[in-house]
Amino acid sequence: MTQVLNVTRNDVGQFEITDLSGKLIEGPFDTNAAAWKALDRRDNDSANRPDKPRSSKKVLWGKPERKSKRARRKEKRLQEKQEHRMKENAAKAPTWIRNVAAAKFDPAGVRAYRDAKLGTFGAASEVRRIDPAEYLAEKARRGEV
């Protein structure tokens, strides 16, 4: 015969597992989730499994296996080869690809290159810093007005 159990709230606000007559089976629990978890545990323990001692030891799923020294050395050698191959391929890349990569990874370097390329005609040139009043005064002194 199956026993019907309910999760109910008591006067204090805690949750309890009770049977149909209202008799306390297990509890009190602080949260509703804790009470339902205990109820599920109770259902699974009694119906599906025979009694067995439970271990409180945590199961470490996916624990990495220890590799042998030989395997680690081989993996390291492969990684070094791959890095070397990447560097060789990067050196063989066309100029436009290298410039795009340099712009992406070194924007300050691109700015320095761009500013040096502008020379004396860029935004930082001396021509741009002339005061208009001084310029007109100099022009008037020469008689070019």
Side-chain angles (χ1 to χ4, degrees):
M1 181 172 144
T2 60
Q3 186 180 14
V4 179
L5 299 173
N6 295 323
V7 174
T8 58
R9 193 173 212 154
N10 64 12
D11 298 333
V12 183
Q14 294 177 326
F15 296 90
E16 300 173 337
I17 298 174
T18 58
D19 61 1
L20 285 177
S21 63
K23 182 181 171 195
L24 177 67
I25 303 295
E26 196 173 337
F29 301 98
D30 291 331
T31 62
N32 190 16
W36 280 102
K37 187 173 181 180
L39 184 62
D40 288 341
R41 209 173 32 245
R42 190 176 179 83
D43 287 345
N44 288 336
D45 284 347
S46 62
N48 298 336
R49 285 187 228 114
D51 288 337
K52 65 177 183 178
R54 298 220 173 205
S55 173
S56 62
K57 191 176 184 181
K58 288 186 178 181
V59 178
L60 300 175
W61 297 103
K63 186 176 180 181
E65 297 175 9
R66 294 268 308 158
K67 293 183 181 179
S68 65
K69 275 190 174 181
R70 183 181 221 163
R72 281 184 291 204
R73 244 185 281 133
K74 186 176 181 181
E75 190 175 299
K76 185 178 179 183
R77 220 176 310 123
L78 283 173
Q79 189 177 7
E80 288 172 354
K81 278 185 180 180
Q82 189 176 22
E83 286 176 8
H84 182 69
R85 230 179 283 128
M86 284 174 50
K87 287 178 183 178
E88 282 180 343
N89 291 338
K92 292 177 188 175
T95 306
W96 68 271
I97 292 177
R98 288 197 305 260
N99 288 344
V100 168
K104 186 173 184 180
F105 295 113
D106 186 21
V110 171
R111 278 197 301 271
Y113 171 74
R114 186 185 62 219
D115 292 345
K117 196 173 175 185
L118 286 173
T120 58
F121 302 106
S125 70
E126 292 296 320
V127 176
R128 301 263 180 179
R129 294 195 188 126
I130 295 175
D131 184 27
E134 288 180 15
Y135 174 73
L136 290 173
E138 179 94 17
K139 203 171 181 183
R141 232 181 297 137
R142 288 189 203 154
E144 296 179 6
V145 180

